[in-house]
Amino acid sequence: MASRSTNTPERFGLDRLATPIGIALLVTDAEGTLRALDWEDYEHRMRELLRLHYGTVDLSDQPAPAGMRAALSAYFEGDIDRLTAIAWRIAGTPFQQKVWTALAKIPAGTTMSYGAFAARIEMPKAVRAVGHANGSNPISVVLPCHRLIGANGSLVKYGGGLERKRWLLRHEGVEV
């Protein structure tokens, strides 16, 4: 994975947002761009992903932009399309960035198997690599890794726990 080559820590703000499925951790940069979204009970995982992608990271309490908080709150209140209003930026390998960027194009209310997704990004033999990149997605919900499911329709793997994945899919109108 790409990491910074200097010893100067990357500085990000950390905010918390209450949602129906737990406290969301919002990590933003100096421009107010979302760099990570994870769950309070998975903070260790989030910090490890930040370290892998950015090197040394300094997180300090800082409110996320009001527009971002409003868009996320609206999403959790049922305005599913509000996620597209959130500015985000990712670091990672070119392959990870390709996967994560393509995740944002899966429409709300739909699911896709890992195999179909790999084919969509024109890498049909990279199913396992897609799964690995999906599992390293630093911006859950906004980059909707929860919309990827097993080939048989089963809910498989979600960094925030399968109960959250189930909730998110049902919230978006998917029968699971």
Side-chain angles (χ1 to χ4, degrees):
M1 291 192 182
S3 66
R4 293 172 45 105
S5 59
T6 68
N7 292 330
T8 305
E10 188 77 51
R11 298 188 188 285
F12 293 132
L14 175 64
D15 196 4
R16 288 167 171 75
L17 178 71
T19 77
I21 54 175
I23 303 296
L25 302 175
L26 312 177
V27 175
T28 54
D29 62 21
E31 289 80 39
T33 303
L34 186 65
R35 293 300 191 102
L37 188 161
D38 215 319
W39 305 101
E40 190 171 58
D41 51 332
Y42 287 87
E43 183 171 352
H44 177 76
R45 180 186 102 87
M46 179 195 77
R47 287 179 179 272
E48 180 62 11
L49 288 174
L50 287 170
R51 186 192 66 75
L52 289 171
H53 297 308
Y54 298 104
T56 304
V57 173
D58 178 24
L59 289 177
S60 59
D61 289 337
Q62 178 181 334
M68 179 185 297
R69 290 180 60 86
L72 283 164
S73 293
Y75 168 83
F76 283 106
E77 292 168 5
D79 188 355
I80 304 300
D81 295 326
R82 286 293 297 276
L83 294 179
T84 59
I86 297 172
W88 51 269
R89 185 175 306 130
I90 49 176
T93 68
F95 178 76
Q96 288 172 324
Q97 290 185 21
K98 181 176 185 170
V99 169
W100 299 334
T101 300
L103 285 172
K105 297 175 183 160
I106 301 173
T110 63
T111 58
M112 181 176 289
S113 73
Y114 287 89
F117 184 77
R120 175 184 269 192
I121 65 169
E122 299 180 352
M123 301 188 81
K125 294 182 179 181
V127 176
R128 289 184 135 196
V130 163
H132 185 69
N134 193 53
S136 298
N137 172 17
I139 306 179
S140 75
V141 182
V142 176
L143 300 182
C145 50
H146 60 277
R147 296 180 189 152
L148 291 186
I149 60 172
N152 64 358
S154 63
L155 300 185
V156 292
K157 297 182 182 179
Y158 181 65
L162 287 180
E163 284 307 309
R164 280 194 180 104
K165 182 173 186 161
R166 184 174 287 106
W167 189 94
L168 290 165
L169 290 172
R170 285 182 179 156
H171 179 64
E172 295 179 357
V174 176
E175 292 297 319
V176 291

